Amino acid sequence: MKKMNINKIKAFKSKEKISMITAYDALMAKLFDDLVDIILVGDSLNMSFGGDDDTLGISLEEMIYHTKAVCKGVKSALVVCDMPFGSYIDKDIALKNATKIYQQTKADAIKLEGGLEKADIIKELCKNSIAVMGHIGLKPQFVRAEGGYKVKGKSEEEIKKLIKDAKALEEAGVFCIVLEGVKAEATKTITQSVSVPVIGIGSGKDCDGQVLVWSDMLGFFDEFKPKFVKRYLDGAKLVRDSVKEYVKEVKEGKFPSEEYWY
Ligand code: KIV
């Protein structure tokens, strides 16, 4: 399978839906690689694997470590690395940190959260040959500042702001935009307002693609399930049942049997 690139992703707009999934290590990346268009090393890693209750605590070095691992498992999908909280507070810092990601990993692009207010930072990255994916709507890195996770696009005013943000990102040079946690009725207008693909999560069906966190969609993270997550597998149950069986066999002296020894 040929390697995906940002031009092919852009060309999917209004033609073919884009599939994106997160991965945080080589093992899962290898499983997903030839099935999906984009693998996102999301900072959701800090919650689903780091055990934290938001995404804010992960460092640039940790994101780089996981992105390197993902890239080792990938041959065809486009790999996008999330810039962690605090790593793009101005143009210079963003450029220094995005350059570090490009130099130390084989990521094809970076993703950062924010709209119009981040346009200058995105322009600077694009000017310096870094491919950028935007992220607007519900922005998990804003959870503490906004006092919780808030669904967006609930009023005409909010929809107008999202369209303004999407257009500012397109103008700044992003190749694609993630639209998270937006009322389904607002998604079509926002998606149609730009010529770059819009990939939704919890924003209904009227975008150019969808993204889900792998441990949510495969049911490995089962403490709570947001409304937008469809579970395609009951991973946690399968794992627990198998480990239970292993422990039982160990306790009963049934494992290992002859076929498992030298
Ligand atoms: O961190 C992440 O996994 C994300 C997706 C939910 C879009 O940003």
Side-chain angles (χ1 to χ4, degrees), residues 77-130:
L78 191 92
V79 177
V80 180
C81 170
D82 247 346
M83 291 198 70
F85 179 72
S87 70
Y88 52 99
I89 52 176
D90 67 30
K91 284 199 275 188
D92 293 342
I93 291 175
L95 182 58
K96 184 170 148 263
N97 290 329
T99 303
K100 212 171 185 181
I101 293 173
Y102 258 23
Q103 284 174 333
Q104 296 186 16
T105 78
K106 294 206 161 57
D108 299 293
I110 62 90
K111 173 166 84 60
L112 58 82
E113 294 180 13
L116 180 61
E117 79 287 358
K118 294 289 187 309
D120 283 348
I121 292 176
I122 294 170
K123 257 184 215 161
E124 182 74 5
L125 298 185
C126 295
K127 213 167 71 188
N128 285 282
S129 323
I130 289 162

Side-chain angles (χ1 to χ4, degrees), residues 20-24 40-46 48 55 63 82 111 113 133 135 140-141 178-180 199-201 211-214 216 228:
M20 176 157 118
I21 192 170
T22 65
Y24 313 119
L40 170 68
V41 190
D43 57 359
S44 52
L45 160 61
N46 197 50
S48 46
T55 61
M63 289 304 300
D82 247 346
K111 173 166 84 60
E113 294 180 13
M133 176 183 273
H135 184 154
Q141 291 179 7
V178 166
L179 186 70
E180 178 164 0
I199 300 183
I201 173 161
V211 52
L212 282 177
V213 168
W214 85 260
D216 289 341
F228 62 83

